[in-house]
Amino acid sequence: MSFYSFNVLRMWKSAILLFVFVGLGFTSKFDLYHDDLFGFDVDDIDASNSNNLFDIDETSTSVDNLQHDKQKQLDVQKQPIGGPDFDYSRFRNLTILVDNTAYLKCYVKNIGNKTVSWVRHRNINLLTVGTTSYTSDSRFQSIHDPDSEEWILKIRYSQVRDSGFYECQISTTPPKGYAIYLTVVEPLTSIIGGPDVYVHSGSTINLTCIVKNSPESPFAMFWTHNNIEINFDSERGGVSVITEKADVTTSYLLIQRARASDSGQYTCSPSNANSKSVNVHILAGSNPEAMHGNANVNLHPNVLHTAVPITLFILIRLIRNIYSSSIS
């Protein structure tokens, strides 16, 4: 064999061995079944790393879920169940006398972090927000106890012009409202036949005082003669008062056997209404021109035509009351 042939043989042998080693190298790098050539188990390492990564992801997800659930619980605690709302079972109308203090009330449940305002509908005027006043009218004031669900709009010295709708509002989106209607009434007192009443001497003076537009009947009706309270137990005698209380309260002042000294100003003063006065003129004899007071004034026709019927009516009522009392 020539030298040339021997060298070719060695080259082929080297090429075959190189091919074998290169092949084994690539196989050990990409084939997990031959990684034992490198002295360690790639399957175990990869599997271990894979499991560890999975465990970390699972643990991280579990912590995030716990934090999320806790935050949701805190949010639920901060937000009242059902949200803020009114107690609609309360009265929504209020009637008071003029110059008295009005207290408009609404009750808010589960208010949370919302605020309560009062608005007057008549001119869409914002009166208060919380307990802060937003009107120049110092008569309006918001009152609230932090431990109570009650919100009060206080109106001092109420006037007839204050009548109308007032709304209690919660600052939700959209706002919730609770309307209350306020009626401020001024009772009207009148005396039939006024301002001047003419009575013949010796007849009965019958003055009838009527009180209207009062939310409740006056507990007393006071009569005065020339600014002096009438004494029903005086030596003069023959003086009595009968009062009938109802939606319209009526008080009758009866003075028998009228005389000159009975002339003058008579005033009816209800306990919860304005006063009303009339001037009584006593006519001497049967001559209508002879009178105490202004001359040439005609006799009021209602006085003569109604005095006797009303007197009989009052006497019948008295007899009926006495009879009822005796039976009971």
Side-chain angles (χ1 to χ4, degrees), residues 81-321:
I81 299 176
D85 205 352
F86 296 102
D87 182 355
Y88 292 98
S89 65
R90 307 286 180 165
F91 290 108
R92 306 184 72 168
N93 295 316
L94 176 64
T95 301
I96 65 166
L97 291 174
V98 69
D99 289 330
N100 285 3
T101 300
Y103 294 92
L104 279 63
K105 301 178 182 181
C106 72
Y107 297 81
V108 181
K109 301 177 292 185
N110 302 325
I111 188 172
N113 59 355
K114 304 301 181 182
T115 58
V116 174
S117 305
W118 282 97
V119 177
R120 180 166 52 192
H121 273 210
R122 186 183 68 197
N123 49 9
I124 315 299
N125 186 17
L126 178 63
L127 300 174
T128 64
V129 175
T131 55
T132 303
S133 178
Y134 280 80
T135 176
S136 59
D137 193 337
S138 60
R139 298 180 303 125
F140 292 87
Q141 178 187 0
S142 178
I143 302 174
H144 174 64
D145 181 353
D147 296 327
S148 171
E149 296 179 344
E150 183 181 64
W151 290 82
I152 302 174
L153 177 64
K154 178 181 178 181
I155 308 175
R156 297 182 301 144
Y157 309 112
S158 300
Q159 302 298 312
V160 175
R161 67 176 183 273
D162 295 325
S163 299
F165 277 106
Y166 292 80
E167 186 171 287
C168 179
Q169 290 186 350
I170 307 175
S171 61
T172 54
T173 304
K176 291 183 177 181
Y178 182 88
I180 300 176
Y181 194 86
L182 172 66
T183 303
V184 182
V185 297
E186 184 175 10
L188 299 177
T189 306
S190 61
I191 297 179
I192 295 177
D196 292 283
V197 175
Y198 303 92
V199 181
H200 286 288
S201 177
S203 62
T204 299
I205 301 175
N206 177 19
L207 300 180
T208 304
C209 180
I210 298 176
V211 181
K212 298 180 180 179
N213 299 336
S214 177
E216 57 184 10
S217 299
F219 68 86
M221 300 284 286
F222 303 99
W223 285 92
T224 61
H225 177 215
N226 294 330
N227 297 323
I228 300 175
E229 187 173 356
I230 294 177
N231 184 5
F232 304 104
D233 297 327
S234 65
E235 295 180 356
R236 186 208 183 284
V239 180
S240 60
V241 171
I242 299 175
T243 300
E244 294 182 343
K245 295 182 179 180
D247 293 339
V248 176
T249 298
T250 305
S251 180
Y252 304 97
L253 173 63
L254 300 175
I255 304 176
Q256 300 177 10
R257 300 179 300 277
R259 61 187 68 168
S261 59
D262 294 328
S263 62
Q265 184 184 68
Y266 287 81
T267 302
C268 172
S269 301
S271 58
N272 65 346
N274 59 308
S275 300
K276 192 67 175 180
S277 299
V278 294
N279 296 312
V280 174
H281 307 276
I282 305 300
L283 303 177
S286 60
N287 184 1
E289 299 298 330
M291 66 183 73
H292 296 274
N294 295 330
N296 300 323
V297 180
N298 294 327
L299 189 66
H300 197 285
N302 289 335
V303 174
L304 296 178
H305 290 122
T306 62
V308 174
I310 292 178
T311 303
L312 291 175
F313 169 77
I314 294 172
L315 290 175
I316 292 173
R317 290 294 300 269
L318 284 174
I319 294 172
R320 184 182 300 172
N321 292 335

Side-chain angles (χ1 to χ4, degrees), residues 10-29:
R10 289 183 61 184
M11 289 175 62
W12 277 106
K13 185 178 179 180
S14 299
I16 292 171
L17 291 174
L18 180 61
F19 177 78
V20 170
F21 280 107
V22 169
L24 290 176
F26 276 103
T27 303
S28 64
K29 185 174 182 181

